[in-house]
Amino acid sequence: MDAYDQLFIGWASRDITPDRPVNLSGQLYARVTDQVLDPITVTALALSDSNGLQAAILMSLDIAIVEDNLYQAARQRLRQQLPDFQADHLILFATHTHNAPAPAVNVFYPPQPEPVLSLEDYTQSLLQAICDAASEAWLARQKGAVSWGYGQAVVGFNRRPVYFDKTARMYGKTDDRLFSHLEGCEDHGVDFLFTYDASEKLTGMIINLACPSQVSESMLAITADFWHEVRQEIRQQHGSGLHILPQCSAAGDQSPHRLYYKRAAERMLYLHGLARLMEDTRMAERAAIGKNVAEAARLVLTAAGHDIRHKAVLRHKKASFELPCRMVSEEEAAIAQKLVDSNRQMLSEVTEDPAGYAYSHSYVLVHRFQKVIERYQQQTRQKTLPVEIHTIRLGDIVIATNRFELFLDYGLRIKARSPAVQTFVVQLAGAGSYLPTERALNNMSYGATIENSLVTPQGGQKLVDETLHLIDNLFR
């Protein structure tokens, strides 16, 4: 029999906006910030049963990726800071904004001189913010209640056009005479989990949707991207103190950028008064997403309010297993070596500063393709990649995490086969790399090439099957 227990819920957040210029992550060249558009944050939600045996702390970070060393350091520090909590039940995941500081581990950007904040120093402050927010959320737990629901909001679009010559191009042109179709589908569904205090006052919400926060990805600015507008819109409706925890569902082949019908969409931004003629429409696009998600939240919250539960099944399972590595071919290793050699030559010839495009781009490529060569040299000894996943059942819903930029197809397989009424798939809960599908590998292009893909599509299916096995056990 499932044990229905009183839920205990705690929230906390921290501002992680750097106070100085910083190197941004997300592009294949260095970008040093020239402004802060809006704050970036970490948000923590602590959930437990009455005795704390079934428990988790979920934490969303407005950064691009959660590196392994950051994860390990956070858990190690939390063991000391919060000894009554099982630290490996701290679950971190990124919104994948391309406008936050790069993590200090496995960073391939050239270091910048003062006054640019070093990534090592930023990582230390980020680590402290993670542990402080986690501790506060856990210690703030009170009797509470939850409800959940499903809505729709157009945010993400498939970003891989396929052409009649059997190739794909990330962000390729769709007005090309060879354009055939978009490689995969899109998911405009939004999963919501609402939390309440004991008197059923709304305290926070999880919002799970299949799109990274990258409308403003090329700007030299710190920003949480469209999640800032989502938070603003929802808090205007439901209170400024409301906690909002974003989750990026499987979206390795998705982005908020339309690849067709762009002029029609821009025209509607003007007609809605969100943008003015001849101006950059990125902020207007973010405003539109904020309004769309907030409206979905309003509609779902109204309906979900008819089914608020103070007691529910809470079960948390963590698992670790190995996925088959994508092997580097001899040809791919040779190409990688040529790219390393040619870009090292470029570095010796470039005289501009380390933040310049030419120098930093070559610097990034040297390090990226050197990693491919190292994989080639080690792959006879290391044929699998260890992964950690978490599955949390809360009543009729499940939250299932993975470390990858997981192509949408895999997420849909999990959702379609899951016994839960709703399944919140959460990607980038760990050091990410793309996990493309078989058809993406056949079409190639960025996201499916050897330097940014560590696991085979067969490994992707194993991830699906192992996740579903854990979910099934939560409902037995």
Side-chain angles (χ1 to χ4, degrees):
M1 291 289 292
D2 289 324
Y4 290 79
D5 201 353
Q6 172 67 56
L7 297 173
F8 284 75
I9 300 166
W11 284 96
S13 65
R14 289 292 186 279
D15 190 320
I16 57 170
T17 309
D19 59 2
R20 282 189 281 158
V22 71
N23 220 349
L24 294 171
S25 76
Q27 303 293 349
L28 299 181
Y29 56 92
R31 293 176 300 146
V32 176
T33 53
D34 61 10
Q35 61 178 314
V36 174
L37 278 182
D38 47 77
I40 55 175
T41 62
V42 297
T43 304
L45 168 60
L47 295 169
S48 79
D49 57 13
S50 57
N51 55 24
L53 295 179
Q54 295 294 329
I57 299 175
L58 302 168
M59 184 173 293
S60 180
L61 294 83
D62 289 333
I63 60 174
I65 199 168
V66 180
E67 290 284 2
D68 285 338
N69 283 22
L70 177 67
Y71 222 143
Q72 293 165 10
R75 286 176 169 172
Q76 181 60 36
R77 184 175 295 192
L78 199 62
R79 286 186 183 96
Q80 301 170 356
Q81 195 165 323
L82 202 62
D84 66 333
F85 175 72
Q86 191 171 339
D88 62 355
H89 285 184
L90 171 68
I91 307 170
L92 307 179
F93 39 87
T95 62
H96 207 48
T97 175
H98 279 194
N99 294 82
V105 182
N106 293 332
V107 174
F108 305 138
Y109 301 104
Q112 308 297 332
E114 292 284 349
V116 177
L117 180 66
S118 77
L119 295 172
E120 290 78 8
D121 287 346
Y122 179 76
T123 300
Q124 288 305 309
S125 64
L126 174 60
L127 182 60
Q128 189 63 54
I130 289 170
C131 293
D132 287 349
S135 297
E136 181 181 330
W138 181 256
L139 296 173
R141 286 172 302 136
Q142 300 287 337
K143 288 183 179 180
V146 294
S147 68
W148 49 83
Y150 173 75
Q152 297 269 315
V154 176
V155 182
F157 304 92
N158 189 280
R159 58 180 176 176
R160 292 177 54 87
V162 179
Y163 301 90
F164 286 119
D165 62 1
K166 308 300 182 184
T167 64
R169 285 196 292 278
M170 179 81 82
Y171 296 128
K173 292 183 177 181
T174 56
D175 57 0
D176 190 300
R177 65 182 182 85
L178 290 179
F179 170 65
S180 171
H181 59 279
L182 295 177
E183 185 179 79
C185 59
E186 297 160 358
D187 182 5
H188 300 309
V190 187
D191 289 295
F192 294 94
L193 173 71
F194 305 106
T195 67
Y196 310 82
D197 64 15
S199 62
E200 299 189 358
K201 177 185 176 183
L202 185 68
T203 56
M205 65 179 74
I206 292 176
I207 306 175
N208 180 291
L209 54 83
C211 187
S213 51
Q214 294 174 359
V215 176
S216 301
E217 62 181 326
S218 61
M219 297 178 70
L220 304 180
I222 290 289
T223 173
D225 210 272
F226 65 70
W227 284 113
H228 176 69
E229 283 74 15
V230 170
R231 290 166 177 143
Q232 279 190 318
E233 289 288 337
I234 291 176
R235 285 168 178 160
Q236 284 176 6
Q237 296 180 26
H238 304 289
S240 59
L242 193 71
H243 292 280
I244 298 169
L245 189 146
Q247 292 178 338
C248 184
S249 189
D253 52 351
Q254 308 290 301
S255 92
H257 304 298
R258 292 177 182 269
L259 298 187
Y260 63 95
Y261 243 44
K262 293 180 182 178
R263 289 184 298 167
E266 286 180 0
R267 175 175 176 269
M268 296 311 297
L269 293 174
Y270 301 137
L271 295 177
H272 284 302
L274 298 175
R276 292 179 293 184
L277 289 173
M278 306 304 293
E279 78 172 3
D280 187 327
T281 61
R282 283 176 293 186
M283 297 307 292
E285 291 168 23
R286 288 170 47 166
I289 290 172
K291 291 180 181 299
N292 290 343
V293 176
E295 177 61 11
R298 185 188 67 82
L299 292 173
V300 175
L301 177 62
T302 300
H306 299 299
D307 186 17
I308 296 174
R309 305 187 190 185
H310 293 256
K311 291 186 177 182
V313 178
L314 178 63
R315 299 178 68 190
H316 178 193
K317 294 293 182 183
K318 172 193 165 208
S320 298
F321 50 88
E322 305 280 328
L323 297 182
C325 286
R326 182 177 172 183
M327 296 290 109
V328 181
S329 70
E330 185 175 346
E331 180 185 8
E332 288 168 332
I335 293 171
Q337 188 64 63
K338 287 181 180 179
L339 286 166
V340 168
D341 293 342
S342 63
N343 281 282
R344 276 186 176 147
Q345 181 64 31
M346 286 282 293
L347 288 176
S348 68
E349 297 172 356
V350 172
T351 57
E352 67 180 38
D353 72 88
Y357 176 85
Y359 184 91
S360 64
H361 183 57
S362 289
Y363 186 97
V364 168
L365 292 183
V366 166
H367 286 78
R368 283 173 72 83
F369 287 97
Q370 186 61 44
K371 283 289 185 182
V372 175
I373 296 166
E374 291 170 6
R375 283 168 58 189
Y376 179 70
Q377 295 168 342
Q378 297 169 4
Q379 63 189 13
T380 57
R381 301 186 302 274
Q382 186 175 346
K383 297 184 178 181
T384 60
L385 180 75
V387 297
E388 172 185 301
I389 63 174
H390 292 259
T391 53
I392 300 171
R393 178 185 174 187
L394 181 54
D396 297 333
I397 72 164
V398 160
I399 297 170
T401 72
N402 69 85
R403 61 175 282 174
F404 299 99
E405 285 189 73
L406 192 67
F407 273 41
L408 179 61
D409 284 9
Y410 297 116
L412 295 182
R413 291 173 198 173
I414 293 171
K415 288 184 176 184
R417 292 171 53 193
S418 171
V421 173
Q422 289 176 239
T423 302
F424 296 54
V425 176
V426 187
Q427 70 169 18
L428 288 171
S433 68
Y434 286 100
L435 211 172
T437 57
E438 189 75 46
R439 63 182 170 186
L441 252 59
N442 292 336
N443 296 328
M444 296 304 287
S445 186
Y446 187 88
T449 47
I450 191 65
E451 73 275 12
N452 49 48
S453 170
L454 298 178
V455 171
T456 65
Q458 292 73 28
Q461 186 56 43
K462 182 179 179 181
L463 174 71
V464 170
D465 292 337
E466 293 283 356
T467 301
L468 286 166
H469 176 69
L470 284 174
I471 293 174
D472 287 341
N473 283 337
L474 292 178
F475 282 84
R476 285 179 181 168

